[in-house]
Amino acid sequence: MHTAAGAGRYVVAVRTLCDFTAREGDLDRRFNPGPTAQEGMAGHALVASRRPAHYQTEISLEGSHDQLDVRGRADGFDPRLQQIEEIKTHRGDLDAMPANHRHLHWAQARVYGWLLCSKLALTELNVALVYLDIATGVETLLVQRHSAAELRAGFLDQCGRFLDWARHELAHRLRRDAALTCLRFPHGEFRSGQRLLAESVYKAGRRDRCLMAQAPTGIGKTIATLFPMLKAAPVSGLDKIFFLSAKSSGRRLALNALASIGAQARSGRDAGAGVDSRRLPLRVLELVAREKACEHPDKACHGASCPLARNFHDVLPDARRAALAMSGAGPVCGLDLLDRPAVRALALAHGICPYYLGLELARWSDVIVGDYNYFFDLNALLHGLTIANQWRVGVLVDEAHNLVDRARGMYSAELDERRLRALRRLVPAALKTPLARLGRAWLGLNCEQVDDYRACDRLPSRLLACLREATSAISDHLGADPAPDTGELLRFYFDALHFLRVADLFDDRFVFDISRHPPLGKLRPLSTLCLRNVVPARFVGQRLAASASSVLFSATFGPRHFYTDMLGIPADAGWVDVASPFDARQLEVRVIGRLSTRYRDRHASMTPIADLIAGQFRERPGHYLAFFSSFDYLAGVAGRLAAGHPDVPLREQTRGMKEAEQAAFLARFDAAEPAVAFAVLGGSFAEGIDLPGDRLLGAFIVTLGLPQVNPVNEQLRRRLQASFGAGYDYAYLYPGLRKVVQAGGRVIRSPRDRGVLYLIDDRFARREVRRLLPRAWLPD
């Protein structure tokens, strides 16, 4: 779906139209072992291969009614039978399919039927649903004969029920674009460096370009990217803007920036012809993880179990209207801010699930703030909607240096043999044989294992064949008899499906490795198999290509070629490097070159580092951060500081801190009592936090941040050397110093700040290291 606002028309996909008008009844997300996307495509191809030579596939169709243009692709058409077919793949007993699913499928098939009648001037047509059981290959064919007049009446009824919404959306789009055209920067004047960044983002948005932007911490990158992309939206016809971040702190900054933009519009300074000066007609949605939004984690996602799933689709239209200000819901901060609390309150007021309401609202929101995975994951919601609805989207990737590691994780997969062993004792008889075959294939790999870690050139074909057999058997079992207590089985099943999917993507940018676990008692050693993505460029690049414009920005986006290589950024992408707006004299950088923080020297370094921290604290008491390469190193120095300098107050980051604990840790920087806070480099407190003024007087960085030298990282180094000729830099040096620059950027956050930064390691004096640090830190 997208609006063609200039022409006063609204374009909607057949599937979106039917989702809107033909869904009814309960939300039903109980486990149904449906086909994967690849199996679905293979199923469509199988059906087509069984049809005669004159059978047509993927027929582009379109039709109109009033201001509405409807478009889609029909799966198949047999011109001799005069039969259009909508193909659906499934597993297990077809009679177990909920009735509301079948109702939706018929609605889609009939809309395609009318569009085909209109295109070919047919007077009647067979409309068929083809259900293919992907496990058995058995087709179930359901056929209805309709006259063109009947199909047209149904089409007009569907369009009529959608048109009120479409007209409202067209009016909203016109108001939105008019308001964005006369929008002004909310803070009056740009900070130094902000204008250059904002101008570059605006040009990228207008010209449908990709932009890489490096800009120092503290200048306000969030609002300097959101504001110009909003300004570019009416000019370039953007339907949506996605602001994507790796951490919740980045998403909070985005919501705050959007609220300030809305508040400025609310002040009336942006009033223009036909624009309501009291509010900005902009729908902002925050997407959160399911585990954070679920109200009943002990219940299953279907109407018989969870009250918030009951009648979900029947109640959804009212909740949708309220959410998108169609029922008089008031604006927050001058715009329609659908953040997590607002969506939750709205959902509970209507008695439906907050998480799934949020996913539905993604279709109708203008700006969506969420995690990277919503656009870059293999099953990404926003990427899927963009492709299906042919949206023109602007994508803003916050702190984009994090995307390398996050993307590697998205396109990697693991299987743990310990889980298989535990599962084999629990499964019913029907699954014991295929899981036993899988176990024997796995044992064969283990028998070839000499060392604890082994990287392999080829995938284990026998094990993959057994894994496919096992997942097929589990699917059939769950489809026929979905037992209520299938937690362990489902976890293994989903891990196995993901492993198989990644295996289909495997090429020279992956590593397949086997890690052996220490044996337990007399039991033989077990292992973990990993399909490890090394270079995610192919997949990230495909998603960037799906956007009309994309901006990847960070304070540490160098060297440029590293991120271009790793993220598949287009060759014609723009580049802007914003100089620091702060006076170099605001930050005193002290390199402690007499100490080594290498692993072999860490024990000897602990007391001198504790003495150094204590000396700085006594020289200028205040709040400080000290960053270490590991929790063990952190604890060691903290112990020396506490023992040798009990007058220096300290607190420590702990493993696995919850969000509330992180917030409490940060809140103590507001306290009058100064202290030294110990944290891990690259962790929650090393980037994305803002502690201006006396909240932070300095930082100690006790390491180069280089990843640990171990068999996995060494294998990555070798693969990156083969691909780019710079294995050590790509695997160790660049990722390590990126963390150093991010942590050091916490100290100076405003023109009034003054602080000190200690770089503690003799390697900080080396030329190859210094050239990767900000010029203002260590001028020549």
Side-chain angles (χ1 to χ4, degrees):
M1 173 277 305
H2 64 279
T3 56
R9 303 202 61 77
Y10 191 94
V11 182
V12 64
V14 170
R15 182 165 184 172
T16 301
L17 172 69
C18 295
D19 279 346
F20 190 93
T21 59
R23 283 198 181 273
E24 58 184 25
D26 294 349
L27 178 71
D28 193 344
R29 293 286 180 167
R30 77 186 89 192
F31 177 72
N32 181 6
T36 65
Q38 287 86 352
E39 288 174 326
M41 290 187 289
H44 280 63
L46 176 61
V47 171
S49 71
R50 294 170 172 175
R51 300 298 187 260
H54 59 263
Y55 187 79
Q56 302 171 19
T57 61
E58 293 292 313
I59 308 105
S60 295
L61 298 170
E62 59 181 45
S64 301
H65 174 57
D66 204 320
Q67 294 173 279
L68 194 63
D69 294 330
V70 182
R71 297 175 183 172
R73 288 180 180 271
D75 290 331
F77 174 58
D78 187 323
R80 295 182 185 175
L81 294 177
Q82 297 286 281
Q83 180 165 296
I84 192 168
E85 295 183 341
E86 177 73 2
I87 302 168
K88 302 293 183 183
T89 53
H90 72 100
R91 289 186 186 275
D93 184 4
L94 187 60
D95 291 336
M97 178 179 290
N100 57 357
H101 289 199
R102 185 79 55 84
H103 177 76
L104 176 63
H105 297 163
W106 275 122
Q108 293 172 351
R110 291 173 188 138
V111 169
Y112 284 124
W114 161 246
L115 296 179
L116 187 68
C117 285
S118 177
K119 180 178 183 177
L120 301 181
L122 302 177
T123 58
E124 57 183 3
L125 184 69
N126 288 330
V127 178
L129 288 179
V130 181
Y131 287 105
L132 175 73
D133 188 324
I134 205 72
T136 65
V138 173
E139 289 183 36
T140 300
L141 182 67
L142 307 176
V143 182
Q144 296 177 348
R145 186 74 174 174
H146 289 283
S147 68
E150 290 173 330
L151 294 172
R152 180 177 181 274
F155 173 76
L156 295 180
D157 176 65
Q158 299 254 66
C159 290
R161 285 186 281 142
F162 191 84
L163 262 172
D164 283 344
W165 183 266
R167 292 189 182 106
H168 181 274
E169 290 298 285
L170 278 172
H172 167 75
R173 177 65 173 265
L174 291 168
R175 290 194 304 271
R176 186 202 80 171
D177 286 354
L180 293 180
T181 298
C182 38
L183 192 66
R184 298 177 187 173
F185 191 64
H187 302 312
E189 296 296 326
F190 287 95
R191 294 181 188 175
S192 178
Q194 271 189 328
R195 180 176 291 278
L196 173 60
L197 177 59
E199 287 176 350
S200 301
V201 173
Y202 179 73
K203 290 175 183 177
R206 283 199 61 175
R207 298 171 182 172
D208 288 358
R209 295 285 300 280
C210 177
L211 173 70
M212 299 172 67
Q214 180 169 265
T217 59
I219 71 165
K221 294 189 291 294
T222 302
I223 201 163
T225 52
L226 272 166
F227 173 76
M229 191 61 80
L230 288 169
K231 290 289 289 182
V235 183
S236 59
L238 295 182
D239 299 302
K240 315 278 181 188
I241 294 172
F242 302 151
F243 186 97
L244 307 169
S245 180
K247 298 183 179 180
S248 57
S249 57
R251 297 189 287 279
R252 283 194 297 270
L253 287 173
L255 294 172
N256 291 339
L258 289 161
S260 69
I261 291 171
Q264 191 272 352
R266 193 177 190 182
S267 71
R269 286 177 288 172
D270 290 331
V275 180
D276 182 356
S277 65
R278 295 168 299 174
R279 64 188 297 273
L280 179 64
L282 189 72
R283 300 167 180 163
V284 177
L285 173 68
E286 179 188 16
L287 288 177
V288 299
R290 179 173 172 176
E291 57 268 19
K292 294 182 179 180
C294 182
E295 294 289 319
H296 299 290
D298 58 324
K299 295 180 172 61
C301 293
H302 59 86
S305 176
C306 180
L308 300 183
R310 202 167 300 136
N311 299 320
F312 178 90
H313 293 293
D314 299 330
V315 178
L316 177 62
D318 288 338
R320 184 168 49 211
R321 280 192 294 269
L324 305 183
M326 293 183 69
S327 61
V332 178
C333 298
L335 48 75
D336 295 313
L337 184 58
L338 296 164
D339 59 3
R340 177 182 173 183
V343 173
R344 179 178 184 270
L346 187 71
L348 297 183
H350 288 79
I352 59 175
C353 174
Y355 175 70
Y356 286 104
L357 175 60
L359 298 189
E360 288 289 336
L361 293 177
R363 301 172 182 271
W364 317 107
S365 298
D366 301 306
V367 181
I368 300 171
V369 177
D371 187 87
Y372 290 163
N373 66 282
Y374 280 107
F375 190 72
F376 291 105
D377 192 82
L378 283 173
N379 299 300
L381 169 76
L382 296 180
H383 178 255
L385 288 175
T386 297
I387 298 299
N389 296 292
Q390 300 178 11
W391 287 339
R392 284 181 53 79
V393 301
V395 177
L396 301 174
V397 185
D398 177 40
E399 302 291 3
H401 61 273
N402 286 308
L403 187 56
V404 175
D405 290 339
R406 283 290 305 276
R408 280 174 171 167
M410 293 175 195
Y411 311 126
S412 297
E414 263 191 8
L415 281 181
D416 192 332
E417 192 179 9
R418 291 170 295 190
R419 180 166 291 173
L420 174 63
R421 170 175 280 181
L423 186 63
R424 288 176 62 182
R425 295 194 293 265
L426 304 174
V427 296
L431 298 179
K432 288 190 178 296
T433 298
L435 290 181
R437 289 196 189 101
L438 176 61
R440 288 193 293 272
W442 207 320
L443 176 61
L445 289 178
N446 290 341
C447 289
E448 300 170 8
Q449 192 89 349
V450 176
D451 300 318
D452 288 340
Y453 175 85
R454 175 166 62 109
C456 306
D457 295 330
R458 293 191 298 270
L459 293 180
S461 56
R462 179 167 175 258
L463 182 135
L464 290 176
C466 292
L467 191 61
R468 289 190 177 92
E469 179 188 359
T471 55
S472 178
I474 295 171
S475 294
D476 293 343
H477 166 71
L478 292 172
D481 182 23
D485 184 18
T486 56
E488 287 301 319
L489 185 60
L490 285 181
R491 275 190 287 275
F492 178 82
Y493 175 74
F494 288 133
D495 286 349
L497 285 181
H498 182 61
F499 195 90
L500 289 169
R501 184 173 185 186
V502 174
D504 289 338
L505 304 172
F506 192 87
D507 59 15
D508 61 356
R509 300 303 173 94
F510 286 79
V511 169
F512 168 58
D513 59 41
I514 308 172
S515 300
R516 187 167 58 189
H517 304 294
L520 295 175
K522 297 181 179 180
L523 298 175
R524 65 174 176 83
L526 303 180
S527 64
T528 292
L529 312 180
C530 186
L531 300 173
R532 201 179 302 276
N533 179 252
V534 179
V535 183
R538 173 160 61 111
F539 312 109
V540 176
Q542 289 170 352
R543 281 147 183 77
L544 293 177
S547 65
S549 174
S550 55
V551 178
L552 299 91
F553 58 97
S554 170
T556 50
F557 223 9
R560 178 182 175 183
H561 63 82
F562 169 72
Y563 291 97
T564 300
D565 289 342
M566 300 305 292
L567 297 177
I569 294 171
D572 63 349
W575 169 261
V576 61
D577 189 356
V578 180
S580 173
F582 306 127
D583 190 322
R585 291 170 294 182
Q586 290 179 246
L587 181 67
E588 181 185 359
V589 179
R590 301 177 182 177
V591 176
I592 308 302
R594 66 180 184 274
L595 288 175
S596 167
T597 65
R598 296 169 182 84
Y599 186 78
R600 65 177 181 271
D601 301 321
R602 285 183 185 171
H603 185 77
S605 73
M606 290 179 181
T607 296
I609 291 170
D611 294 342
L612 183 70
I613 292 172
Q616 174 61 37
F617 184 85
R618 294 191 185 108
E619 177 185 330
R620 188 185 178 194
H623 292 286
Y624 292 86
L625 270 166
F627 294 103
F628 299 85
S629 56
S630 69
F631 281 102
D632 289 340
Y633 200 6
L634 179 157
V637 177
R640 302 295 176 90
L641 183 63
H645 307 278
D647 59 310
V648 178
L650 68 94
R651 60 183 184 275
E652 302 174 40
Q653 177 186 359
T654 57
R655 300 176 194 267
M657 270 185 163
K658 307 293 185 186
E659 282 193 24
E661 294 171 319
Q662 293 177 15
F665 187 88
L666 288 174
R668 294 182 65 181
F669 285 92
D670 294 321
E673 300 80 13
V676 181
F678 281 35
V680 172
L681 194 66
S684 303
F685 306 111
E687 61 179 89
I689 62 170
D690 198 19
L691 300 170
D694 291 340
R695 297 180 69 195
L696 187 66
L697 298 185
F700 306 85
I701 301 179
V702 191
T703 177
L704 261 67
L706 304 183
Q708 182 183 17
V709 177
N710 58 35
V712 172
N713 286 334
E714 281 296 281
Q715 184 62 32
L716 296 185
R717 179 188 61 78
R718 285 190 285 271
R719 187 59 56 89
L720 291 167
Q721 179 68 29
S723 297
F724 304 110
Y728 175 77
D729 289 348
Y730 275 41
Y732 292 102
L733 188 60
Y734 298 159
L737 292 182
R738 176 190 71 209
K739 292 184 284 186
V740 170
V741 177
Q742 280 289 326
R746 299 311 99 203
V747 181
I748 302 301
R749 307 296 294 179
S750 78
R752 296 179 299 278
D753 288 356
R754 295 290 185 274
V756 62
L757 174 63
Y758 285 85
L759 301 176
I760 304 173
D761 191 282
D762 55 10
R763 289 166 290 180
F764 280 117
R766 294 181 178 177
R767 169 179 284 186
E768 65 272 21
V769 172
R770 292 171 68 100
R771 68 182 174 84
L772 296 171
L773 299 175
R775 291 186 297 273
W777 285 13
L778 300 171
D780 294 329

